[in-house]
């Protein structure tokens, strides 16, 4: 195991080094939060794939393959479908807005009255997403070093908090690129073929397992539909995803780079399900399906390769964790704290770039410590992740997509949809159970109904607000500070309008 340990230690040291390098580049708010909106197609595709393919997609995806066979790919597959839909239909519009958060987009669209409540909902989602990713460190470090759960969470979380605090989005982008390469090599090029060979090939896998393991719909139509509602739609509106769209240097980069990343997710989904199916042949009686990934890595891979594959799992967790952490801190600082501070009369000032960078660093550090403490206290990753996505989709999907597609939507309708959808989801989870399907079904329908009815019953959005919104959608009227920070890239118009 000495060689495996060395691989992991070098990897972790590299993450911290990139955090230090990123700190030297992040000199303005735009550089720190959205990498100066300067990422080209290669880096954009890699960092987008890294953020959406976390520990749940890797360890959980293999576990679903172990439990259901090839149809276990559907959870990660719907994530890929969501990323494709976002990239093809919405990413160009989002990138042209030149904002930092989803709530800022809602303020622009509805006239500045929808942001604070949506910010709280988005903050709760990103916080729980960061917590669930941090909990996953316990599983990986237990396999690597056989350490206590609390120590594992603190160790993994501290590394992510350190490089995220130092360099912001530049550090996270660089580490995500490394993590993308490590995941590709470790999972797709090494673990996938080795697992299939060790299981005796596809013919032996079919001979050993029930036929439903090879039924594309074996996991169940209702489950697939729920995955689409939660994960496909969740990809369309999450702050962690949008913040990566904001890093694209052009419409074309956002559209085509995201399409490449989404296609990669579809391949990754199938790979995880195949690995899990192979693990079922080799280890038919595991106590937990989620142990399939660690078991096959520990028992079947040679020294050195094992370290690289475990580094791939660690990379998957770190990429999601860091992306969720900076999203959580950005929302907390820009959407909640700045509004509260302004409301009590202590706003004004703090516009100088270095002050803003310092303020965002402080929030990442505070949120990071909070995430680590909550992760230590919680045990059930699935329930925490379900709560996060139910709140996100039930509360924010309708007002965000409605704002992008329906001119008649109003601020009153958006606020009503956020409140009713969020409350309905929480109440229905309390009634039916956190993991039930009904909360997201009925919560989303309630949000949609209220949005339409209240919007039609209230005066249309002011024409001046809509005119300013159309200007931003066209790539004009961005704040001077943001435009000047990225003048070299913004000067060339994109041919791919939406």
């Amino acid at each position: 195991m000495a060689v495996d340990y060395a691989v992991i230690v070098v990897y972790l040291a590299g993450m911290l080094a990139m955090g230090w390098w990123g700190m030297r580049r992040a000199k303005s708010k735009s550089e720190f939060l959205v990498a100066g909106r300067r990422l080209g197609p290669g880096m954009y595709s890699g960092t987008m794939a890294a953020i959406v393919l976390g520990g749940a997609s890797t360890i959980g995806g293999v576990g679903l393959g172990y439990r259901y066979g090839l149809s276990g790919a559907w959870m990660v597959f719907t994530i890929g479908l969501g990323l494709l839909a976002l990239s093809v239909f919405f990413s160009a519009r989002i990138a042209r807005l030149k904002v930092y958060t989803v709530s800022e987009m809602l303020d622009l669209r509805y006239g500045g009255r929808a942001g604070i409540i949506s910010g709280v909902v988005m903050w709760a989602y990103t916080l729980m997403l960061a917590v669930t990713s941090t909990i996953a460190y316990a599983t990986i470090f237990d396999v690597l070093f056989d350490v206590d759960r609390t120590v594992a969470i603190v160790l993994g979380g501290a590394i992510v908090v350190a490089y995220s605090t130092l360099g912001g989005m530049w550090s996270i982008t660089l580490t995500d690129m490394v993590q993308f390469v490590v995941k590709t090599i470790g999972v797709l090029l090494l673990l996938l073929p080795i697992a299939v060979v060790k299981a005796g090939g596809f013919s032996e896998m079919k001979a050993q397992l029930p036929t439903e393991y090879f039924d594309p719909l074996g996991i169940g139509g209702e489950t697939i539909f729920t995955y689409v509602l939660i994960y496909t739609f969740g990809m369309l509106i999450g702050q962690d995803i949008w913040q990566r769209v904001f890093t694209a240097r052009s419409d074309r980069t956002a559209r085509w780079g995201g399409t490449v990343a989404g296609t990669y997710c579809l391949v990754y989904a199938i790979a995880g399900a195949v690995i899990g199916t192979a693990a079922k042949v080799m280890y038919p009686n595991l106590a937990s399906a989620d142990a399939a990934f660690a078991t096959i890595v520990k028992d079947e891979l040679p020294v050195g390769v094992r370290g690289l594959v475990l580094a791939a799992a660690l990379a998957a967790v770190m990429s999601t964790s860091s992306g969720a952490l900076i999203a959580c801190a950005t929302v907390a600082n820009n959407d909640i704290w700045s509004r509260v501070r302004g409301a009590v009369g202590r706003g004004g000032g703090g516009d100088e770039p270095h002050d803003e960078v310092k303020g965002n660093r402080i929030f990442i550090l505070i949120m990071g410590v909070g995430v680590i403490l909550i992760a230590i206290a919680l045990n059930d990753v699935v329930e925490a992740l379900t709560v996060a996505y139910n709140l996100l989709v039930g509360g924010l999907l309708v007002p965000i997509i409605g704002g992008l597609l329906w001119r008649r939507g109003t601020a009153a309708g958006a606020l009503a949809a956020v409140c009713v959808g969020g409350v309905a989801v929480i109440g229905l989870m309390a009634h039916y159970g956190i993991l039930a399907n009904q909360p997201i079904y009925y919560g989303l329908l309630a949000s949609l109904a209220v949005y339409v009815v209240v919007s039609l019953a209230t005066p249309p959005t002011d024409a001046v607000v809509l005119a300013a919104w159309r200007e931003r959608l066209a790539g004009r009227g961005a704040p001077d500070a943001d435009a000047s920070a990225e003048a070299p890239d913004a000067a060339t118009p994109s041919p791919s309008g939406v």
Side-chain angles (χ1 to χ4, degrees):
M1 286 291 287
V3 175
D4 297 327
Y5 291 157
V7 171
I8 300 299
V9 170
V10 168
Y11 169 76
L12 294 176
M15 297 298 99
L16 293 174
M18 289 179 188
W20 180 262
W21 185 91
M23 182 178 68
R24 299 168 64 88
R25 292 204 62 168
K27 301 299 184 182
S28 69
K29 179 180 180 180
S30 178
E31 295 282 351
F32 189 82
L33 294 181
V34 291
R37 307 187 197 274
R38 290 190 289 182
L39 297 191
M43 292 193 74
Y44 180 85
S45 296
T47 192
M48 184 62 86
I51 180 66
V52 300
L53 296 174
S57 299
T58 303
I59 299 171
V62 172
L64 287 172
Y66 183 89
R67 186 179 295 120
Y68 299 107
L70 298 186
S71 67
W74 274 107
M75 184 187 78
V76 183
F77 204 83
T78 56
I79 290 174
L81 292 177
L83 186 51
L84 285 172
L86 174 72
S87 302
V88 172
F89 299 112
F90 300 108
S91 62
R93 302 185 192 195
I94 294 169
R96 287 198 294 261
L97 289 173
K98 295 293 189 290
V99 295
Y100 292 101
T101 67
V102 175
S103 294
E104 286 183 51
M105 168 264 171
L106 291 172
D107 278 348
L108 282 171
R109 170 59 181 82
Y110 294 111
R113 289 173 288 173
I116 185 69
I117 296 177
S118 65
V120 172
V121 175
M122 188 64 75
W123 174 78
Y125 157 73
T126 54
L127 178 70
M128 295 311 297
L129 184 62
V131 166
T132 57
S133 301
T134 304
I135 291 173
Y137 294 128
T139 300
I140 299 171
F141 278 98
D142 178 59
V143 175
L144 289 173
F145 306 118
D146 192 26
V147 297
D148 178 74
R149 176 182 183 275
T150 299
V151 174
I153 290 174
V154 171
L155 176 60
I159 293 171
V160 170
V161 171
Y163 73 69
S164 300
T165 302
L166 286 172
M169 187 58 81
W170 270 121
S171 295
I172 293 171
T173 296
L174 292 171
T175 54
D176 277 356
M177 283 304 299
V178 174
Q179 290 158 358
F180 171 74
V181 172
V182 171
K183 280 191 286 192
T184 300
I185 296 173
V187 176
L188 296 185
L189 302 183
L190 292 176
L191 184 57
L192 174 60
I194 289 173
V196 172
V197 170
K198 292 283 187 178
F202 284 103
S203 59
E204 183 65 19
M205 291 163 61
K206 287 185 177 181
Q208 293 285 338
L209 296 173
T211 56
E212 55 263 29
Y213 264 70
F214 302 92
D215 180 358
L217 303 179
I219 198 170
E222 185 177 356
T223 298
I224 295 171
F225 182 65
T226 302
Y227 284 160
V228 169
L229 284 183
I230 294 177
Y231 297 114
T232 300
F233 288 152
M235 288 296 105
L236 300 180
I237 59 174
Q239 169 69 24
D240 52 325
I241 309 302
W242 277 41
Q243 199 155 346
R244 299 310 173 98
V245 176
F246 299 152
T247 66
R249 71 183 179 196
S250 68
D251 297 358
R252 188 177 181 84
T253 295
R255 175 177 290 166
W256 293 109
T259 301
V260 171
T263 303
Y264 179 90
C265 291
L266 303 183
V267 175
Y268 201 89
I270 296 170
V274 171
I275 293 168
T277 304
K280 183 67 175 179
V281 173
M282 291 182 278
Y283 310 99
N285 299 311
L286 290 178
S288 169
D290 287 339
F293 180 90
T295 302
I296 197 171
V297 170
K298 277 178 35 176
D299 294 350
E300 302 298 336
L301 299 187
V303 173
V305 173
R306 179 170 51 209
L308 183 59
V309 173
L310 287 172
L314 193 59
V317 175
M318 282 187 160
S319 57
T320 299
S321 181
S322 59
L325 177 59
I326 193 172
C328 177
T330 302
V331 171
N333 187 19
N334 290 271
D335 292 337
I336 300 175
W337 171 242
S338 64
R339 296 167 193 263
V340 171
R341 184 179 57 186
V344 298
R346 291 190 291 140
D351 292 331
E352 198 273 324
H354 288 289
D355 288 343
E356 290 195 343
V357 171
K358 180 180 178 181
N360 281 294
R361 279 200 177 106
I362 291 172
F363 266 87
I364 290 178
L365 183 60
I366 293 171
M367 293 296 108
V369 172
V371 163
I372 291 172
L373 294 176
I374 296 171
I376 292 172
L378 291 180
N379 285 311
D380 198 318
V381 179
V382 175
E383 289 196 356
L385 193 62
T386 301
V387 170
Y389 271 97
N390 280 355
L391 277 174
L392 175 71
V393 175
L396 292 180
L397 177 68
V398 169
I400 292 172
I401 301 301
L404 288 170
L405 299 179
W406 191 38
R407 290 185 58 187
R408 188 59 180 83
T410 65
L415 284 171
V418 173
C419 295
V420 171
V423 171
V425 163
I426 293 172
L428 290 166
M429 283 192 293
H431 177 72
Y432 289 105
I434 289 176
L435 300 180
N437 293 326
Q438 289 90 338
I440 190 62
Y441 294 169
Y442 301 145
L444 195 54
L445 287 174
S447 178
L448 176 60
V450 168
Y451 179 72
V452 172
V453 170
V454 175
S455 291
L456 293 176
T458 52
T461 304
D462 189 275
V464 175
V465 172
L466 285 178
W469 167 253
R470 287 193 294 270
E471 284 290 295
R472 291 294 284 270
L473 280 180
R476 300 183 294 268
D480 291 340
D482 199 69
S484 63
E486 50 187 22
D489 298 304
T492 304
S494 169
S496 55
V498 172

